[in-house]
Amino acid sequence: MANTPASILKDVFGYDSFRPQQHEVIENILKRRDTLAIMPTGGGKSLCYQVPALLFNGLTVVVSPLIALMKDQVEQMHASGVPALFINSTLSAEAYQENMGYVRRGETRLLYLAPETLLTPRILDLLAEVTVDCFAIDEAHCISEWGHDFRPEYRQLVEARKRFPKAVCLALTATATQRVRDDIRKSLGMSTVNEFIGSFNRPNLYIEVTPKRDPAIQTMKFLGRFKEQSGIIYCFSRRQVDELTLYLKNKGLSVRPYHAGLQDDERRRNQESFIRDDAQIIVATIAFGMGINKPNVRFVIHYDLPKSLENYYQEIGRAGRDGLAAHCLLLYNYSDAIKLKALLKQKEDKERLIAEKHLDAMVRYAEEQSVCRRVPILNYFGEVYKEHPCHNCDNCEAPPPTIEDITVPAQKFLSCVKRTGERFGATHVIDVLRGSKKEKVLKFEHEKLTTFGIGTELTQKQWMHLARQLLQMGYLQQEEEYHTLSLTTKASEALRMRSLISGQLQEPEEKALPGANKDELEYNHALFALLRARRKELADQAGVPPYVIFPDRTLIEMSTYFPQSPQSLLDITGVGKVKASQYGETFLELIHTYCQKHNILEPTSQPSKTGKSTRSSAPAKQTGMSPRLEMIAECFNQGTSLAGMAEKFEVTQATILNNLLKYVEEGGALQNLAELESQVSAGAMSQLSVHTAFDELGLEFLKPVYERMNGTVNYEDLKILRVIHACR
Ligand code: ADP
Ligand code: ZN
C-alpha cells in the first residue's frame, strides 16, 4: 500500500492524529505549493517537513539558525529510523566529508544546515548533484529586520532557492505579525501565498498569576507538587538567579543556574543536565530557552515580572510541548513593575514609549482577576478567544473577587497623602492613618494632623493593598527613587466631587491549587517510575536525551493501558515501528513483570489492537472522550464503590468524583447512583437545598454553594451531590 501522511505519522512517529494545521500544511507541500506556516512554540512545526520528507523521492533541506537543535532533531529522527543528518561548523573535517558522501549517494532524507553553511559553494555544488524536493526554513522570522532575531544570512536564502527552482519552500515561524509575514514571503521569493496560521492557544497550559509575597517560600511550596518533574524558573537578574539557585540547592533540590554571566561551558553543561533529566530545575534569566526542545517541561515559574506579554507567552510556551498538562505560575507584585519602569527611563524616547506600552499591558494582565487569562494573551496575538471559561487558568477556576465600595477608605488615604505634604511613601502614610507613634511620625509632628489615627479599621496589609489599587487606578503617582506618593488631578477631582471609588478591601488570597481535572496525568506512578528509570539508562547508553527514546506521554500511556503484546504496544502514542522493534521488548518485559506482581490485567477498553490507525475508530476517540475517563466510568458502572475506585486507580476519591463529573458532562451516563447517594452524610432536607443551590449557582464552583448553605454541608458531600446533580 502506498504511504500517506497518516500512515507515516503512525508508523514512523507513532502518533494517531495530526495537530491543527499540520495536515493542511503537509498536503500543501506535497502539492508543491510554497507555504508559510505560523504555529506557536510546541505546536508541532517540525512534522510539517519531516512527514513530506519521507514521501518525496529527493532530499529535504532544513535551514535552522540553532545549531544545538539540529543535533537534537537528528537524534530524534534516527531513533525513529529516519535517515537524517546535519552539516555545520561543529563537525570535524572527516565527519563533514562523510556526511557529504551520504548526501551525494542519496542516503539521507533530511539534511539540516545553518544558513551560512547552505550558502557555501561546497554545499551548493553538492546539492546541485542531487534532487532537492523541499527547502524548509525554520525560524523564518530571522529573515526580517522587523523580527526579534534578525540574521543577515537569512536574506541570502533566496539565492539558494533560485538555484533549485523545482524545490518547494516551507517557511516556519512562531512570530505572527503581518509585517514579518510579508517580509518572509517577499524575501524568500515565494511564488504562492499559502499561509496557514494556527491558533496560538495552548490549551494544556494551566495559567496562573498569584500575588508575590514571599517568593522563595511560595516557590518551594509550588515545587512540592512537582517532585522529579522538569521545570524552568525565570528571574529578572543574574544575581537573583544565583541567589535562588543557592536557596533551592540548600533545600536539597536538583537545580542549575543559567545566565549570560556564566562561562560558556558551564552554561552548556547546565543546559545539558536539564535536557537529560540529570537536573530537575533550571533557574534562568530570559536568555534560556531558545535552543532547547525539551518536550517534558512540566512547569514554568516567573519569579519576576516579564517585560511584555510576548516575552511572557514565549517563555511559558516552553512548558508542555508534548501536549501534556503543564503549570505556568507568575509571581506578581506592583513594585516589580515600578522597578522595570525605572529601568526603561534609560531608553531613547520612541523606544521607551513602546516598551512602556508593553509593560503596561503586562501589568494589566497580571492584575486582571475576572477575565479568562487566555483572552488578553490571545488578543495580543490578534486572536479572539471565545471559548472561556477555559477551565485551565486561575481566573476561570476561582470565583471572581468581590468588588466593593471603597470610597471612604480611599478618601482617607488620599487626604492623608495630601496632609503629609506628598513627600512620603505608603508605609509612612499608613502609620499616620493607623495612629502609630513611631519616631518618624513624631519627628514630623504628624500626630497633630486631622488624618492621624482615622484609619484603625483596616490592617496595615489592607491599607497597602488599597494604596496599590489607587496607584493602579491612577489616583496616585509614585516617585521612582524614594517611592513618595502624590495625588494626581484625577484624585483631586475625586476628592472634590466625592466620587465613588470601587475596589477590593481584602487582598486576594493565594488562589486554591487547580483541581485534579487533568485526567491524562492519572496513571500508575510506580510503573511510570520504573519505565522512566529504564528510559534514562537507555538514553545514557545511547548518549541522547531521554525524550529521544520515548516522550513522557508514551510512558504515561504505558502506565495507563499496561500493553503486554508487541501489537498493543504499537497502539501507544509515540511508538512507531522502528522504536517498537528497538525498545519494545525491554519495556514490555518491565510492564509484564509489574502487572504480574500486582495482579493487573491489560484492560479491555484500551486502544483497539487490530493494527494500523484503528485507534481513531476506538469508541473513546469517536466520542472525543479520553479512554481513561471511559475506563473509570465503566468500572464504576459495574458496581465498584468509591473507595474501591480510588484504590484501584491509585488516586483520591475527589479525583474519581471529578472524573465522573467530567464523564457525565461529556455526555456519558452513570448507572451506580445508589453508591453515590449512600456516601452522602447530609440529611434529605439539606440535600434538597443543595440541589436548588446548584440549579441557581451552577456546577462550576463549590464555594458559592458552600456559602449559600452557610457551611452546613461539607465539601465532601458537595462533591458527591454535584455528580448526582449533573446526572439529573
Ligand atoms: P515546534 O517546533 O512548533 O515548537 P515541535 O515540532 O518541536 O514544535 O513539536 C513539539 C512536540 O510535539 C514534539 O515533541 C513532537 O514530537 C510533538 N508532536 C508534534 N506533532 C504531534 C502530533 N500530531 N501528535 C503528537 N505529538 C506531536
Ligand atoms: Zn481561562
Side-chain angles (χ1 to χ4, degrees), residues 208-211 305-306 309 312 330-334 337 359-370 373 376-377 394-395 472 508 511:
E208 178 184 4
V209 182
T210 207
L305 188 69
L309 274 173
Y312 170 68
L330 164 63
L331 297 170
Y332 168 74
N333 64 16
Y334 190 64
L359 183 59
D360 286 344
M362 189 67 223
V363 169
R364 264 199 312 281
Y365 164 84
E367 301 205 336
E368 177 61 69
Q369 286 182 49
S370 42
R373 298 274 175 213
I377 292 178
D394 52 356
N395 286 351
Q472 199 47 41
K511 304 227 171 81

Side-chain angles (χ1 to χ4, degrees), residues 641-653 656:
S641 69
L642 270 184
M645 299 277 301
E647 200 180 314
K648 184 171 158 66
F649 289 93
E650 298 192 342
V651 293
T652 60
Q653 291 197 27
I656 295 289

Side-chain angles (χ1 to χ4, degrees), residues 15 17-19 22 40-47 293 295 321:
Y15 298 142
S17 53
F18 285 107
R19 296 232 181 110
Q22 281 179 334
T41 312
K45 288 188 278 299
S46 325
L47 272 185
N293 219 349
R321 277 169 180 247

